[in-house]
Amino acid sequence: MTDLSVLGSEEWCQLDELGIPAVKVRVDSGAKTSSIQANKIKIFNKDLEEWVRFEVNPIQDNRGISILCQAKLIDVRSVKSSVGISEERPVIKTKVKIGGDTFEIEVTLANRDSMEYRMILGREALNGRYLIDSSRGFCQGELSLEHLKELYLPFGREKNGLTLGLLASNPNLYSNKRIIEAGEARGHEVVFLNVENAYMKLDAGSPEIRYRGGNILDKFDAVIPRIKPSVTFYGCALLRQFDNLGVYCLNSSDAISKSRDKLYASQLFSKNDIHIPITGFAKSPMDTKDLIRMVNGAPLIIKLLESTKGMGVVLAETNKAAESVINAFKSVQTNILVQEFIKEANGQDIRCLVVNGKVVASMQRQAQKGEFRANIHQGGKASLIKITSEERKLAIKSAKMLNLHVAGVDIIRSNRGPLLLEVNSSPGLEGIENATGLDIANVMIETIERKLNYGVGNNKSKSQKKHVESQKSA
């Protein structure tokens, strides 16, 4: 009989040396070394030794709790992630307590926030200490939600920041949840506003925006628009009204309107020396044959002017097929663009996330076999990529041309250099955050703070100022 303790597939542990009172770990004998989620990793010198400073969000889906840790640097190792990307990870040693046992383990710091568990316990920590029963969980004791809240009560942040509105349609989308989470983690109140539940009072003396039930929306410092294409017209009207009321909009109604009109955007790009695939537009079916010749013939791409996420985009492989598709679209009075097909791209494109005039992240998207669209929503696979200086300049210039503070810029590599495919005013965050491990939602919130000069001097949010004014008048 063995006297080894038993662990389940998941357990609670304590990391006293790092100041972490409780973290749920996945017990993974397939992983050699243990790892923990870490942000803002910084190596520094202390007493002639290398140390590492980092932040840990120990509770999944709660960035409001962040613990600053530091430890002596043991090593830096190249580790291949679950998606096959190799990255350099710092290694530390720290004591871990599971149940009644305390022992020292090596831990790698993983700067990826997409892990299901905040910590993984690998076989180096398990060998000679535990038996694993993967059919069970919390063999060393469960932790109640009430106890967890009590442990982390000292780490909570007081919410005395800005009041932000997230203007969108679906609160359950990854991007929307992440933005709310990031805003709350920085001490702000983030309110989800369904575009179709808001309405306006147009009046020179007292303009208003009201919400379902008659609530007046007058306390917001900024609005983050995530407007789906089908409500572009109404969403942009709401943004104009917010702007009239003095509320900062992360992307303006004018910028969103320009980006959504692919024909107008393409004309702007051509006018300002931003290279795009050869593109044609015509109204009459009489011009179809010449339109096809104009973009160098089939294969070619046919796009609806309001396509999104790869939908409404067709590849015509022969001239005859192209004629049929173009004329079919025209017969139902649908506006389309016809665009040359960049064969040498091999189903790959690059998504650059531009925030406040800087490329903060980029990924390569590869279309699945038999598919030409690399969009993640169409089954494309994302991976980390280092873009060229020419591609970076193209992405920044394209977003600036449309005056978008947040933009997803899609670029394709061709034999004549990088070409701009399109600019998205409400880029999804899931694919690029998972591919890069970067916290894009947090960058967006930081941008709003800078634009509003938040945290400088005695600056107060609009809601705080109104409270002070009401107190004075009382």
Side-chain angles (χ1 to χ4, degrees):
M1 289 286 292
T2 179
D3 58 355
L4 295 180
S5 299
V6 177
L7 293 185
S9 61
E10 54 185 356
E11 297 286 348
W12 286 99
C13 78
Q14 189 173 330
L15 303 168
D16 287 334
E17 291 181 336
L18 298 179
I20 299 174
V23 62
K24 188 190 292 185
V25 302
R26 178 163 69 90
V27 179
D28 185 3
S29 59
K32 181 182 178 183
T33 310
S34 303
S35 68
I36 191 167
Q37 172 270 339
N39 297 318
K40 300 180 182 177
I41 299 170
K42 179 73 174 178
I43 296 173
F44 66 99
N45 290 319
K46 178 181 178 181
D47 299 329
L48 302 179
E49 294 180 321
E50 283 192 314
W51 282 58
V52 60
R53 185 182 294 114
F54 54 97
E55 282 188 7
V56 175
N57 304 117
I59 302 176
Q60 184 71 27
D61 296 328
N62 187 346
R63 291 176 184 244
I65 294 174
S66 181
I67 299 177
L68 181 62
C69 310
Q70 63 178 25
K72 185 178 176 182
L73 183 68
I74 302 301
D75 194 8
V76 177
R77 295 176 192 159
S78 180
V79 179
K80 186 171 284 189
S81 70
S82 58
V83 294
I85 299 173
S86 292
E87 58 184 357
E88 299 293 312
R89 292 185 185 175
V91 183
I92 65 169
K93 281 186 179 179
T94 190
K95 288 182 179 178
V96 59
K97 182 178 180 181
I98 303 176
D101 299 325
T102 301
F103 50 95
E104 191 174 63
I105 62 171
E106 285 192 355
V107 180
T108 66
L109 306 180
N111 64 348
R112 298 181 59 79
D113 196 47
S114 57
M115 301 190 316
E116 183 180 356
Y117 292 82
R118 315 314 271 165
M119 184 171 174
I120 292 174
L121 204 61
R123 62 178 178 270
E124 284 184 342
L126 304 171
N127 289 345
R129 292 191 177 99
Y130 297 102
L131 294 176
I132 312 301
D133 184 350
S134 59
S135 66
R136 298 167 61 192
F138 307 111
C139 295
Q140 297 298 312
E142 177 62 288
L143 194 62
S144 68
L145 183 59
E146 290 73 21
H147 190 195
L148 188 65
K149 286 181 179 178
E150 185 180 329
L151 287 171
Y152 280 105
L153 191 61
F155 298 94
R157 296 182 183 176
E158 185 182 354
K159 287 182 168 50
N160 59 355
L162 300 169
T163 301
L164 309 176
L166 177 59
L167 190 64
S169 297
N170 184 354
N172 297 316
L173 287 181
Y174 174 94
S175 300
N176 295 337
K177 288 166 69 175
R178 282 287 299 109
I179 290 169
I180 292 172
E181 183 183 282
E184 290 178 345
R186 297 185 67 84
H188 307 306
E189 180 185 4
V190 187
V191 181
F192 183 85
L193 301 173
N194 190 310
V195 174
E196 296 175 66
N197 289 339
Y199 52 101
M200 297 167 277
K201 174 189 174 185
L202 307 178
D203 177 71
S206 57
E208 292 176 347
I209 297 179
R210 297 196 178 200
Y211 203 63
R212 186 173 51 192
N215 296 311
I216 299 175
L217 303 181
D218 62 349
K219 65 176 182 176
F220 292 98
D221 299 291
V223 168
I224 304 166
R226 302 280 306 173
I227 300 168
K228 63 182 181 181
S230 61
V231 292
T232 298
F233 177 81
Y234 190 65
C236 286
L238 284 171
L239 286 177
R240 285 194 297 273
Q241 189 78 345
F242 273 116
D243 182 62
N244 291 341
L245 295 171
V247 179
Y248 171 70
C249 301
L250 187 55
N251 275 337
S252 71
S253 61
D254 182 59
I256 293 171
S257 297
K258 286 179 182 176
S259 70
R260 290 281 165 86
D261 186 339
K262 288 185 170 55
L263 176 59
Y264 181 39
S266 297
Q267 289 173 316
L268 282 176
F269 298 143
S270 298
K271 179 181 178 181
N272 290 280
D273 198 33
I274 294 174
H275 296 283
I276 63 174
I278 299 170
T279 302
F281 177 78
K283 192 68 177 171
S284 168
M286 301 276 293
D287 305 314
T288 299
K289 281 185 168 55
D290 192 45
L291 189 67
I292 293 170
R293 284 194 294 270
M294 192 170 66
V295 298
N296 296 329
L300 54 79
I301 303 294
I302 300 164
K303 289 183 178 181
L304 292 177
L305 280 187
E306 290 192 349
S307 62
T308 182
K309 297 178 182 177
M311 294 180 285
V313 182
V314 178
L315 171 65
E317 298 193 22
T318 65
N319 285 353
K320 193 171 184 63
E323 284 183 49
S324 299
V325 174
I326 292 168
N327 290 334
F329 275 129
K330 286 182 178 178
S331 68
V332 292
Q333 301 298 304
T334 301
N335 289 318
I336 59 168
L337 291 177
V338 178
Q339 200 168 71
E340 69 170 320
F341 178 64
I342 308 299
K343 185 178 180 181
E344 61 268 23
N346 295 317
Q348 295 177 340
D349 70 13
I350 297 168
R351 162 61 63 90
C352 296
L353 216 299
V354 180
V355 181
N356 201 26
K358 294 180 180 178
V359 176
V360 297
S362 54
M363 65 175 175
Q364 180 173 273
R365 301 182 298 189
Q366 173 67 60
Q368 63 179 342
K369 191 174 181 180
E371 175 63 71
F372 70 97
R373 295 167 296 183
N375 305 69
I376 303 298
H377 288 86
Q378 299 299 329
K381 300 298 181 184
S383 60
L384 199 61
I385 188 174
K386 185 174 182 179
I387 60 173
T388 66
S389 60
E390 190 178 2
E391 289 162 348
R392 185 179 301 276
K393 288 176 184 175
L394 176 59
I396 292 170
K397 185 177 180 181
S398 304
K400 187 177 181 181
M401 186 58 54
L402 297 174
N403 199 27
L404 286 169
H405 291 146
V406 175
V409 181
D410 296 338
I411 294 170
I412 195 167
R413 288 174 170 171
S414 76
N415 290 336
R416 58 183 188 270
L419 302 174
L420 176 68
L421 289 180
E422 66 175 304
V423 181
N424 192 318
S425 59
S426 296
L429 303 184
E430 185 171 13
I432 201 158
E433 284 198 341
N434 288 339
T436 64
L438 298 173
D439 188 348
I440 308 301
N442 184 67
V443 175
M444 292 169 65
I445 302 299
E446 286 181 329
T447 296
I448 293 173
E449 291 175 353
R450 283 195 295 272
K451 291 290 183 182
L452 297 181
N453 211 29
Y454 175 76
V456 177
N458 295 318
N459 181 66
K460 292 183 177 67
S461 70
K462 184 180 292 185
S463 53
Q464 288 172 314
K465 286 176 181 175
K466 287 188 176 181
H467 175 71
V468 171
E469 288 166 3
S470 64
Q471 291 293 100
K472 285 180 179 179
S473 62

